[in-house]
């Protein structure tokens, strides 16, 4: 019971957290470095990060 409660508390504390959105933001940063098409290619990953961490 204690383990389950700990896992649930951890999950709730990470919801909406920047740590969970970090992979999306990292990929977006790398994509934006590509000349001419980077910002357009990063739109989906920006949306992913925004959905996780508004």
């Amino acid at each position: 019971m204690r383990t389950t409660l700990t896992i649930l508390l951890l999950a709730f504390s990470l919801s909406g957290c920047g740590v969970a959105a970090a992979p999306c933001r990292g990929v977006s940063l790398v994509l934006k470095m590509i000349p001419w098409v980077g910002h357009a290619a990063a739109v989906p990953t920006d949306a992913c990060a925004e959905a996780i961490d508004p």
Side-chain angles (χ1 to χ4, degrees), residues 27-28 30-46:
V27 170
S28 175
V30 171
L31 285 174
K32 287 179 181 177
M33 290 183 206
I34 300 171
W36 298 291
V37 295
H39 288 280
V43 170
T45 56
D46 286 337

Side-chain angles (χ1 to χ4, degrees), residues 1-12:
M1 182 69 179
R2 180 179 266 175
T3 305
T4 304
L5 183 60
T6 303
I7 291 171
L8 285 175
L9 286 174
L10 182 64
F12 284 126

